[in-house]
Amino acid sequence: MEFFLGESQSMKSHYDDIDLLIKQHIEYAISSEVHKNIEDSIFFSSYTISLEVFQNSTQKLKSKVKNGHLEQIEFLREDAQKFIAKHALSIDIQSDQYRYLLTALLKAQIKINEAIILHFKSLCKKAHSLDYLEERAEQICKLLCDE
């Protein structure tokens, strides 16, 4: 999908186009992360990885949105350049649209992180349920007996 933000469009539509693309970006990222087959990893890692690490990094991203100066954040500038290239956008890095895009991308990453955290929590809960543990034990025994 390509969107061109040409000079003939109004400023409002520049932001509308960015909003639409960001919404699609969020939906795609969340869907691809949630549908990864990571259940086995969750089963084993849920005993050792603390969700606080992910929650703290998401909190840091939220504080960066409030603090501004997003153009100084290296990974965000790189993400913006990839996003601009992917969607063939014509946005000057000195423009208000570019600063708007940086903010939108950072807010999008926060939404994606929060969705992944919720998904991870539900998988962890499942991984600690007695039914799941019994099912996994049966699967592991079957694998061992088949060899």
Side-chain angles (χ1 to χ4, degrees), residues 33-50:
E33 287 294 328
V34 167
H35 292 98
K36 283 183 180 175
N37 188 10
I38 58 172
E39 193 171 302
D40 289 333
S41 299
I42 298 299
F43 175 74
F44 294 108
S45 67
S46 65
Y47 293 98
T48 58
I49 295 177
S50 171

Side-chain angles (χ1 to χ4, degrees), residues 15-30:
Y15 297 111
D16 291 342
D17 291 342
I18 291 171
D19 289 343
L20 176 64
L21 291 171
I22 291 292
K23 181 181 178 206
Q24 293 169 351
H25 170 73
I26 292 169
E27 290 170 358
Y28 175 78
I30 290 172

Side-chain angles (χ1 to χ4, degrees), residues 110-122:
I110 291 166
K111 286 182 182 180
I112 293 164
N113 286 5
E114 288 173 340
I116 293 168
I117 289 168
L118 286 175
H119 181 64
F120 190 85
K121 282 181 179 180
S122 71

Side-chain angles (χ1 to χ4, degrees), residues 39 121-130 132-133 135:
E39 193 171 302
K121 282 181 179 180
S122 71
L123 289 176
C124 287
K125 185 177 180 181
K126 179 181 176 183
H128 293 108
S129 74
L130 184 58
Y132 181 79
L133 292 172
E135 177 187 325

Side-chain angles (χ1 to χ4, degrees), residues 50-60 117 121:
S50 171
L51 282 176
E52 287 182 25
V53 171
F54 301 112
Q55 290 168 332
N56 289 342
S57 65
T58 301
Q59 281 304 116
K60 287 179 183 177
I117 289 168
K121 282 181 179 180

